[in-house]
Amino acid sequence: MQPIPIHIPKDLFEAAAYRHYEADMPPFRLSAGVDEYRFAEPLRWQADITNTGGALLVTGTVEGRAATACARCLEEAAFDVVGEIEGYFLISGAEAELDDIEEDEFDVLPESEVLDMAPLIEAALVLEMPLVPLCDEECKGLCPRCGQNRNEGECACEAPEDAAPNPFAALEGYRFD
């Protein structure tokens, strides 16, 4: 993802100052674990930056449509994503006032006074990605023997004779109401 710099204006260093930013991001790819997500259309993001007295609070959202390979059948799995952008940046010199906040809960605003929104947007998107992306909740996946996509029809493979019996077969007729 390319940097998305925001030059913090001088008036935003006043206590309780506020600014709203929004823009579209060009399409890109995002890696999350073993999956790679494609965003074919621009993503829309918006963020509010508020001076909380010694720090800048960044809150907002990012929205787009992601696509990746289905974990079961390898066909395209596409879904809408809405991520929550959040960040907390100390203004230089305010570090000494933080006794009750853990270090991993904030960053320090760079001396250049330029805030890069790209890492915040990427973190918001990664948190919204499914652990197991599926094209459909009812996806039947691929046959482990021949590779046939079971969503397109059953294959001619038979279960191997030496296959272990299904341990849940006893529950086949049980009513779960």
Side-chain angles (χ1 to χ4, degrees):
M1 180 182 301
Q2 295 180 343
I4 304 171
I6 293 182
H7 299 276
I8 305 299
K10 294 296 179 201
D11 64 327
L12 200 47
F13 289 100
E14 303 282 328
Y18 158 87
R19 283 281 178 107
H20 179 80
Y21 297 89
E22 58 184 70
D24 288 335
M25 294 177 55
F28 68 99
R29 293 178 181 267
L30 173 70
S31 293
V34 298
D35 298 311
E36 181 173 274
Y37 295 90
R38 298 171 308 283
F39 296 91
E41 299 174 8
L43 279 80
R44 183 81 181 148
W45 68 269
Q46 63 84 26
D48 297 324
I49 301 179
T50 307
N51 185 318
T52 62
L56 297 176
L57 175 65
V58 180
T59 57
T61 58
V62 58
E63 299 179 33
R65 185 152 182 85
T68 191
C70 175
R72 292 183 188 159
C73 70
L74 303 178
E75 295 294 325
E76 183 172 283
F79 49 91
D80 293 323
V81 177
V82 178
E84 296 292 322
I85 299 171
E86 48 186 46
Y88 194 71
F89 296 86
L90 293 179
I91 298 171
S92 293
E95 296 94 340
E97 302 173 15
L98 295 173
D99 295 332
D100 59 338
I101 298 180
E102 298 291 327
E103 273 191 41
D104 63 347
E105 294 179 5
F106 65 87
D107 290 309
V108 177
L109 184 67
E111 288 184 26
S112 64
E113 298 178 353
V114 175
L115 182 63
D116 184 7
M117 290 297 295
L120 299 176
I121 292 171
E122 185 173 328
L125 291 170
V126 167
L127 287 174
E128 295 303 316
M129 297 303 165
L131 292 175
V132 180
L134 299 175
C135 62
D136 186 323
E137 289 295 321
E138 302 298 320
C139 179
K140 296 176 183 177
L142 302 175
C143 172
R145 294 183 56 129
C146 70
Q148 164 75 31
N149 184 340
R150 291 179 171 166
N151 296 316
E152 297 172 356
E154 290 300 319
C155 60
C157 295
E158 294 181 22
E161 293 178 21
D162 60 343
N166 182 347
F168 299 104
L171 298 174
E172 186 174 26
Y174 185 76
R175 293 186 48 159
F176 290 97
D177 335 328

